[in-house]
Amino acid sequence: MPAEHLRLPPEPSSVGAARSLLRRALSQWDLDGLEFAASQALTELATNAVIHARTPFEIAILWNGERLRVCVEDHSPRLPARRSYAVDATTGRGLGMVERLCRSWGVETFEDGKRVWFEVAPGDLSEDDAEILPMFSDDLDAFDDVAGHRASPLLRAQNLVGAA
């Protein structure tokens, strides 16, 4: 079973590094059609690891011939949770996006942390999703960190606010 792994520090540039690893793996495995959904979902999970877990984390990308499983493991006991925010809030929609883009997702807990995972497979996106969702990829691609990796807009915006 093809697999890729990467251990990353809890730094904003790690989100872009995780996305780069995913894109390389999908290209090598001839799975470019999964790139949009998997990249968006991984961005959310890696961003959560950086912002909320604040521990080193590991990315695992696995292809079993039918579906792609992506895992983000960190050393924080804090579990991801969907929350309700005002319509104009700039946060709180990420797990809903993961739920919409992915076939399934979940959390496995350990004594010293957790693993948050999602799965996508060819043909998972509906025709409506396939037409609407790519509009948002330009927004993500517009944000580059100093290392040349793409970072999520939320993470980038928090860095800019924190620097002010």
Side-chain angles (χ1 to χ4, degrees):
M1 173 174 5
E4 292 288 341
H5 298 270
L6 182 62
R7 187 160 174 79
L8 296 161
E11 299 172 355
S13 62
S14 293
V15 176
R19 285 171 57 106
S20 292
L21 175 70
L22 175 68
R23 285 187 173 124
R24 281 193 308 274
L26 293 177
S27 179
Q28 289 173 353
W29 302 338
D30 212 13
L31 296 170
D32 295 317
L34 299 179
E35 194 267 326
F36 179 78
S39 183
Q40 304 311 306
L42 175 57
T43 296
E44 173 62 22
L45 300 189
T47 299
N48 285 349
V50 170
I51 293 173
H52 300 296
R54 297 182 180 149
T55 70
F57 61 100
E58 184 171 337
I59 306 297
I61 305 166
L62 312 150
W63 171 246
N64 72 1
E66 294 181 16
R67 67 186 171 275
L68 183 77
R69 178 176 268 229
V70 179
C71 305
V72 177
E73 188 172 326
D74 64 51
H75 301 285
S76 169
R78 187 174 178 187
L79 298 178
R82 288 189 66 184
R83 294 183 173 86
S84 296
Y85 289 90
V87 174
D88 59 347
T90 59
T91 189
R93 294 177 186 82
L95 291 177
M97 179 186 67
V98 171
E99 190 171 278
R100 172 100 190 241
L101 289 172
C102 301
R103 167 176 292 219
S104 59
W105 75 278
V107 181
E108 301 168 20
T109 59
F110 304 102
E111 191 172 305
D112 68 337
K114 66 185 169 299
R115 176 181 304 128
V116 185
W117 58 268
F118 66 84
E119 292 182 345
V120 294
D124 277 353
L125 290 180
S126 71
E127 286 184 31
D128 290 340
D129 290 336
E131 290 176 13
I132 294 169
L133 294 174
M135 291 187 289
F136 299 105
S137 67
D138 291 340
D139 294 333
L140 268 177
D141 292 343
F143 294 90
D144 294 329
D145 68 26
V146 293
H149 300 290
R150 294 179 218 192
S152 76
L154 173 60
L155 187 59
R156 193 69 168 145
Q158 287 177 336
N159 288 340
L160 293 174
V161 170

